[in-house]
C-alpha cells in the first residue's frame, strides 16, 4: 500500500537510504569547506597543517571521541520514532530533503532575526510562509497588497501565542486611533464599537492612517504618530488601556475543550489570564456550533468583548477536526450584530492535511475526486472545515509534526500581511509600509514582528527545501498525508476485526469516529462494570507499550500512547454513550477519585509511511493487534 514515490523520502526504518543520505551530507560538507577556502584564498591557514600532530590536539580529539561515543551509545536508548512499530506520539521519521537541507545549512549558521545575519534564509522563511499560505487558500501572491504573511517559530505554542498578540493588537488599534483623535477615520461612535470593528476593518485602518500621515509634514506626521502610540495597548499595557476605557472589559478567548495547553500558557503570557479562556463544549470531540453560538450571544448581551474564537484542526489527543466553516459563519453573523473578533485555527497537528485538498495548480480539489482514494475520508464535515480555511484570520501549523521536519519548527500564517505592521517592535518604524512596497524587502528585519529574537535559519532551510521538493498539493506532499489517512483507515479495519474476535473476553470501543490519522481505543474486560478496574487494565496494557528508559528497546514490541477521556471534555451525552458501549456502571465514575474520574484509553498516531510494508507483505497494524491479543490473554 505504500507508494513507490515515498521510497526515497526517508532514511527508512532499516536505514535503507543510507547511501543517499551519506552521499549528500559529504557532498555538501565539502561544498561548504570550498566556500570557506574561496572567501579569501590568499589568507594562509590559521591552524597549522601540523597542528593535528601536537599532543594537545590528540588529547582534545581523544576527549571529544570519548564523549561522542558515550553520547552515541546513550542515544541508542532513544525512542525509535522511525520504526513502523512506533504508533505513539506525533512524530515519525524525518523527511530527507529537510534533514539534508538542515545539515547543509548548519555550518553557515544563519540567524533569521534579520537579513544582516541571514542574507539568504530570511527570504526562504518568507517564501515558506507563502507556500503554507497557498496550501491554506490564503492570498499568496506577494505582489498583491493583501497577500498573506507567514513565519516560522520554535513550535506551535509560540505560533498560537503570536495569534493572540496579533488579534489583541488589531482589536485595540481602532480604540487608540479614536482616543488620539485622528480625524477622518471611521473608528466607530464609541469605544465599544471601535473595539468591535473586527480584524479586517482594523487592518484597513492601518492603511488609512499610513496614507493620511504621508500627506502631512514630517513634523506633524511624527507628532501624530507619537499621539497614537501613546494610546496603544502595546504602550499602555492591559491595566493602563482598560483604565482609560472603563466601558471596555478585557476580552475573552473561546476555544474548544480539546484545546492544547498552549492556549492556557498563551493567555497567561499575554496577561489576560487563564480565566479569559472559555472552553466551548463539544459534540463527538468537535466544537458544538450551537454551544459556541450561545456563548457568543451571552458575550454580546453582557457587552463582554471577544478576542478570538479558536478552532482546532486535528486535536492533539483525538485528531478530531472542528467545524471551521461554522466558526467562520458565526463570526459573520456576530460581526453584523456588532461583536467583532478574529478566527484562529490551531492546525499545529492537522495543517499539512490541507495538501490533500489542494490541486497542483492551487485550486481546491473536489470531494468526489478525493473520495476515490479512501474508505471514508473526508467526511462532508471535514471537507467543509478545510474548505473554510481561506476565510479564517490566522493559522498555526507545525512543520515538526505532520511536516516530518526535525523538532524546533512551528509556523504562524496570517491572511493579510498588512496587519503584522501592528506588531513591529520599533515604534518609529510602525508606519512605513509605503516606504517599502516590496514584500520581501518589508520583512527583512523579521525579528521585529516576532515573539522570538535569534532563530535558526537552518530550520527554515529545512522547511523551504522540503516544500520545494514536495510541493504542498495532493500529488506531492499530499502523497505522504494520504498514506497517513489510509493507514488510519486500515488500522480501524484491523481494530474492528480485533474487536469481533475479542468480543467474548474484552469489549473494544472507538470512543468517537476519527476524522483523520489519529485513532483512540478503549478496552474493558467483559463482566467488569467498574471504571477504576478498567483504568487499571488499560494502564497495565500501556505499561507494555510505552517508552521506558529502564527497559531495553528491543524488548518492546510496539509503542502507543495513552490519553484520558474526562467527562468534562466528552460532555454528558458522549460520556453516557461511551460508558454504555463499554458496559461500565456510570455510578463508578467518581470525580473525587483520581483513578476513576476519567477513562484511560490508548491513542495511536498513524504517521509512519511504512506501516503496511508492501515489499515484504507485512502489515505492522495486523502485528500490533496480534500483540494486543496476546497481551489481553488472561493467562499470558
Ligand atoms: C502540538 C500542538 C500544539 C503545540 O505545539 P508545539 O509545537 O508542541 O509547541 C498546539 N496545538 C495543537 C493542536 C497541537 O497538536
Amino acid at each position: 500500500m505504500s507508494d513507490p514515490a515515498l521510497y526515497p523520502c526517508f532514511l527508512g526504518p532499516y536505514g535503507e537510504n543510507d547511501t543517499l543520505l551519506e552521499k549528500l551530507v559529504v557532498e555538501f560538507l565539502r561544498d561548504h569547506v570550498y566556500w570557506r577556502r574561496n572567501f579569501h584564498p590568499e589568507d594562509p591557514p590559521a591552524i597549522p597543517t601540523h597542528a593535528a600532530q601536537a599532543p594537545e590536539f590528540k588529547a582534545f580529539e581523544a576527549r571529544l571521541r570519548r564523549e561522542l561515543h558515550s553520547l552515541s551509545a546513550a542515544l541508542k536508548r532513544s525512542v525509535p520514532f522511525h520504526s513502523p512499530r512506533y504508533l505513539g506520539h506525533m512524530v515519525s521519521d524525518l523527511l530527507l530533503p529537510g534533514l539534508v537541507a538542515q545539515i547543509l545549512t548548519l555550518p553557515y549558521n544563519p540567524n533569521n532575526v534579520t537579513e544582516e545575519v541571514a542574507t539568504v534564509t530570511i527570504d526562504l522563511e518568507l517564501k515558506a510562509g507563502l507556500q503554507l499560505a497557498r496550501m491554506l487558500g490564503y492570498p499568496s501572491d506577494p505582489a498583491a497588497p493583501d497577500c498573506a504573511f507567514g513565519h516560522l517559530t520554535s513550535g506551535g505554542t509560540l505560533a498560537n501565542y503570536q495569534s493572540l498578540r496579533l488579534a489583541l493588537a488589531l482589536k485595540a488599534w481602532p480604540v487608540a486611533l479614536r482616543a488620539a483623535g485622528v480625524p477622518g477615520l471611521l473608528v466607530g461612535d464609541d469605544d465599544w464599537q471601535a473595539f468591535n470593528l473586527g480584524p479586517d476593518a482594523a487592518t484597513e485602518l492601518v492603511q488609512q492612517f499610513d496614507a493620511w500621515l504621508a500627506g502631512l509634514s514630517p513634523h506633524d506626521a511624527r507628532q501624530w504618530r507619537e499621539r497614537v502610540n501613546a494610546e496603544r495597548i502595546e504602550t499602555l499595557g492591559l491595566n493602563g488601556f482598560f483604565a482609560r476605557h472603563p466601558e471596555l472589559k478585557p476580552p475573552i478567548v473561546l476555544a474548544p475543550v480539546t484545546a492544547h495547553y498552549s492556549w492556557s500558557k498563551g493567555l497567561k503570557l499575554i496577561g489576560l489570564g487563564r480565566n479569559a479562556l472559555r472552553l466551548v463544549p463539544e459534540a463527538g470531540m468537535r466544537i458544538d456550533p450551537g454551544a459556541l453560538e450561545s456563548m457568543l450571544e451571552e458575550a454580546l448581551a453582557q457587552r463582554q468583548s471577544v478576542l478570538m474564537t479558536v478552532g482546532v484542526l486535528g486535536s492533539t489527543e483525538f485528531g478530531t477536526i472542528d467545524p471551521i466553516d461554522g466558526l467562520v459563519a458565526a463570526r459573520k453573523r456576530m460581526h453584523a450584530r456588532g461583536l467583532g473578533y478574529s478566527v484562529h485555527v490551531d492546525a499545529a497537528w492537522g495543517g499539512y492535511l490541507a495538501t490533500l485538498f489542494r490541486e497542483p495548480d492551487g485550486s481546491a480539489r473536489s470531494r468526489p475526486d478525493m473520495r476515490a482514494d479512501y474508505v471514508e475520508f473526508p467526511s462532508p464535515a471535514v471537507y467543509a472545515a478545510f474548505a473554510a480555511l481561506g476565510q479564517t484570520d490566522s493559522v498555526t501549523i507545525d512543520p515538526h509534526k505532520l511536516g516530518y521536519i526535525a523538532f524546533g519548527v512551528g509556523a504562524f500564517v496570517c491572511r493579510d500581511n498588512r496587519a503584522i505592521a501592528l506588531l513591529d517592535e520599533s515604534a518609529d518604524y510602525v508606519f512605513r509600509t509605503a516606504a517599502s512596497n516590496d514584500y520581501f524587502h518589508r520583512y527583512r528585519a523579521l525579528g521585529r514582528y516576532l515573539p522570538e529574537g535569534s532563530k535558526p535559519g537552518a530550520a527554515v532551510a529545512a522547511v523551504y527545501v522540503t516544500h520545494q521538493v514536495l510541493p504542498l498539493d495532493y500529488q506531492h506532499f499530499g502523497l505522504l498525508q494520504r498514506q497517513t489517512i489510509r493507514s488510519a483507515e486500515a488500522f480501524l479495519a484491523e481494530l474492528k476485526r480485533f474487536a469481533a474476535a475479542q468480543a467474548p473476553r474484552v469489549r473494544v470501543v472507538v470512543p468517537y469516529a476519527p476524522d483523520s490519522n489519529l485513532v483512540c481505543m478503549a478496552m474493558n474486560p467483559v463482566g467488569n462494570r467498574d471504571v477504576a478496574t478498567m483504568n487499571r487494565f488499560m494502564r497495565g496494557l500501556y505499561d507494555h507499550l510505552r517508552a521506558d528508559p529502564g527497559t531495553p528497546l528491543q524488548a518492546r514490541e510496539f509503542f502507543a500512547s495513552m490519553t484520558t477521556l474526562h467527562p468534562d471534555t466528552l460532555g454528558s451525552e458522549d460520556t453516557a454513550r461511551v460508558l454504555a458501549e463499554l458496559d461500565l456502571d456510570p455510578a463508578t465514575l467518581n470525580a473525587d477519585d483520581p483513578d476513576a474520574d476519567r477513562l484511560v484509553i490508548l491513542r495511536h498516531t498513524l504517521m509512519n509511511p511504512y506501516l503496511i510494508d508492501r515489499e515484504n507483505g507485512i502489515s505492522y497494524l495486523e502485528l500490533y493487534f496480534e500483540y494486543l491479543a496476546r497481551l489481553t490473554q488472561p493467562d499470558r
Side-chain angles (χ1 to χ4, degrees):
M1 213 165 100
S2 54
D3 194 312
L6 299 178
Y7 287 151
C9 290
F10 298 93
L11 176 55
Y14 197 75
E16 294 90 333
N17 290 324
D18 57 340
T19 323
L20 176 60
L21 176 60
E22 189 175 314
K23 216 166 58 183
L24 293 170
V25 169
V26 171
E27 178 179 339
F28 290 104
L29 176 64
R30 289 186 179 148
D31 206 41
H32 173 80
V33 171
Y34 302 148
W35 174 73
R36 292 194 172 200
R37 290 180 184 169
N38 283 312
F39 176 49
H40 273 285
E42 72 277 20
D43 292 348
I47 302 167
T49 33
H50 56 74
Q53 266 91 61
E56 296 88 341
F57 196 107
K58 289 185 172 155
F60 179 90
E61 185 180 335
R63 279 204 309 280
L64 174 60
R65 281 187 180 280
R66 200 181 56 217
E67 287 310 315
L68 291 178
H69 278 298
S70 86
L71 172 66
S72 181
L75 286 171
K76 303 295 179 292
R77 294 199 311 268
S78 297
V79 185
F81 299 142
H82 62 276
S83 169
R85 290 173 178 269
Y86 186 81
L87 313 171
H89 291 279
M90 301 173 141
V91 54
S92 180
D93 207 351
L94 296 173
L95 272 172
L96 275 187
L99 182 59
V100 176
Q102 192 158 2
I103 295 174
L104 186 169
T105 311
L106 271 176
Y108 296 88
N109 197 26
N111 176 358
N112 269 35
V113 67
T114 167
E115 68 167 342
E116 285 186 27
V117 280
T119 40
V120 177
T121 47
I122 288 268
D123 272 11
L124 300 190
E125 179 158 357
L126 297 173
K127 285 180 183 166
L130 295 174
Q131 290 165 330
L132 292 170
R134 183 177 185 269
M135 172 184 83
L136 296 169
Y138 282 171
S140 59
D141 173 7
D146 65 346
C147 180
F149 172 80
H151 64 80
L152 303 183
T153 58
S154 64
T157 300
L158 256 286
N160 283 342
Y161 173 59
Q162 178 78 329
S163 78
L164 289 169
R165 292 209 312 154
L166 184 60
L168 187 62
L170 282 165
K171 197 157 183 59
W173 168 242
V175 179
L177 291 175
R178 237 183 81 77
V182 178
L185 296 182
L186 292 174
V187 290
D189 297 337
D190 55 25
D191 277 352
W192 170 259
Q193 280 189 12
F195 208 42
N196 279 289
L197 285 181
D200 289 345
T203 305
E204 208 47 54
L205 285 170
V206 175
Q207 295 302 289
Q208 289 168 2
F209 181 55
D210 207 15
W212 180 69
L213 285 182
L216 302 181
S217 72
H219 173 80
D220 289 353
R222 186 174 53 79
Q223 286 208 323
W224 275 106
R225 257 201 309 267
E226 282 169 7
R227 263 171 88 165
V228 171
N229 275 336
E231 296 293 343
R232 292 188 58 191
I233 200 165
E234 287 80 4
T235 308
L236 296 167
L238 293 180
N239 277 344
F241 183 84
F242 288 105
R244 245 182 171 76
H245 304 283
E247 61 277 49
L248 300 178
K249 291 181 211 161
I252 56 173
V253 170
L254 303 183
V257 285
T258 56
H260 187 264
Y261 66 11
S262 53
W263 288 102
S264 161
K265 288 184 187 175
L267 281 160
K268 288 193 296 182
L269 200 54
I270 206 163
L272 288 170
R274 233 184 228 163
N275 278 350
L277 184 62
R278 305 293 163 86
L279 298 178
V280 186
E282 304 242 332
M285 288 299 178
R286 298 143 189 109
I287 277 192
D288 175 353
L292 175 70
E293 197 88 21
S294 54
M295 288 172 81
L296 289 165
E297 286 293 346
E298 195 189 324
L300 183 63
Q302 297 181 352
R303 288 210 151 210
Q304 167 62 62
S305 48
V306 174
L307 183 62
M308 59 161 66
T309 55
V310 178
V312 179
L313 201 81
S315 56
T316 317
E317 298 302 318
F318 316 108
T320 45
I321 288 168
D322 282 332
I324 307 303
D325 48 320
L327 266 66
V328 166
R331 174 188 57 183
K332 194 170 172 210
R333 280 194 297 276
M334 296 315 288
H335 186 255
R337 300 179 50 204
L339 192 72
Y341 56 84
S342 302
V343 172
H344 177 78
V345 181
D346 183 355
W349 171 247
Y352 277 100
L353 290 174
T355 52
L356 296 173
F357 298 76
R358 200 57 61 198
E359 295 281 349
D361 69 4
S363 62
R365 198 164 176 231
S366 78
R367 184 165 174 265
D369 281 355
M370 294 182 70
R371 285 287 301 109
D373 288 344
Y374 308 97
V375 184
E376 301 276 353
F377 184 85
S379 69
V382 165
Y383 188 85
F386 278 87
L389 282 176
Q391 294 165 64
T392 61
D393 296 301
S394 53
V395 179
T396 291
I397 303 173
D398 265 355
H400 66 203
K401 285 182 179 167
L402 273 178
Y404 298 81
I405 301 282
F407 281 116
V409 217
F412 172 77
V413 191
C414 68
R415 196 189 60 234
D416 188 332
N417 81 93
R418 294 171 299 185
I420 212 85
L422 291 176
L423 293 185
D424 195 327
E425 183 53 32
S426 33
D428 284 353
Y429 288 89
V430 171
F431 310 105
R432 43 164 221 127
T433 42
S436 46
N437 282 325
D438 177 63
Y439 184 92
F440 291 94
H441 187 256
R442 199 179 311 152
Y443 296 117
R444 278 176 186 170
L446 201 52
R448 288 217 305 250
Y449 305 93
L450 274 47
E452 290 154 284
S454 296
K455 59 206 280 291
V460 169
V463 175
Y464 173 77
V465 168
T466 300
H467 293 175
Q468 287 294 107
V469 176
L470 292 170
L472 302 179
D473 58 59
Y474 89 95
Q475 287 185 359
H476 299 93
F477 207 99
L479 291 178
L480 190 48
Q481 306 296 323
R482 180 178 76 176
Q483 190 63 30
T484 72
I485 304 280
R486 287 181 167 179
S487 297
E489 290 189 337
F491 184 93
L492 211 55
E494 290 294 339
L495 190 159
K496 283 185 183 143
R497 269 194 286 279
F498 173 72
Q502 293 292 312
R505 294 188 295 119
V506 184
R507 282 174 191 267
V508 181
V509 168
V510 176
Y512 33 81
D515 280 333
S516 54
N517 45 22
L518 227 126
V519 186
C520 291
M521 173 168 76
M523 287 191 267
N524 184 31
V526 166
N528 172 56
R529 303 217 61 213
D530 175 53
V531 168
T533 305
M534 174 189 130
N535 286 348
R536 262 195 308 282
F537 173 78
M538 289 300 286
R539 284 186 202 278
L541 280 184
Y542 178 60
D543 274 342
H544 295 272
L545 297 167
R546 68 188 166 85
D548 168 12
T551 308
L553 203 56
Q554 285 77 6
R556 283 278 180 249
E557 296 270 330
F558 279 92
F559 289 86
S561 55
M562 191 203 89
T563 187
T564 57
L565 290 176
H566 197 282
D568 289 350
T569 315
L570 263 181
S572 53
E573 217 171 281
D574 281 338
T575 303
R577 175 181 56 79
V578 173
L579 289 175
E581 286 176 12
L582 287 165
D583 195 31
L584 290 168
D585 178 0
T588 63
L589 193 67
N590 179 356
D592 298 321
D593 177 357
D595 291 325
D597 65 344
R598 60 189 75 194
L599 301 177
V600 174
I601 61 173
L602 290 177
R603 166 178 173 267
H604 308 90
T605 309
L606 287 313
M607 242 183 115
N608 191 288
Y610 312 111
L611 290 169
I612 295 156
D613 173 353
R614 200 164 52 177
E615 178 69 15
N616 303 296
I618 298 174
S619 163
Y620 286 93
L621 302 177
E622 246 178 80
L623 293 180
Y624 175 66
F625 283 101
E626 282 170 21
Y627 179 59
L628 281 186
R630 268 182 283 143
L631 284 182
T632 54
Q633 292 289 339
D635 51 359
R636 69 166 188 272

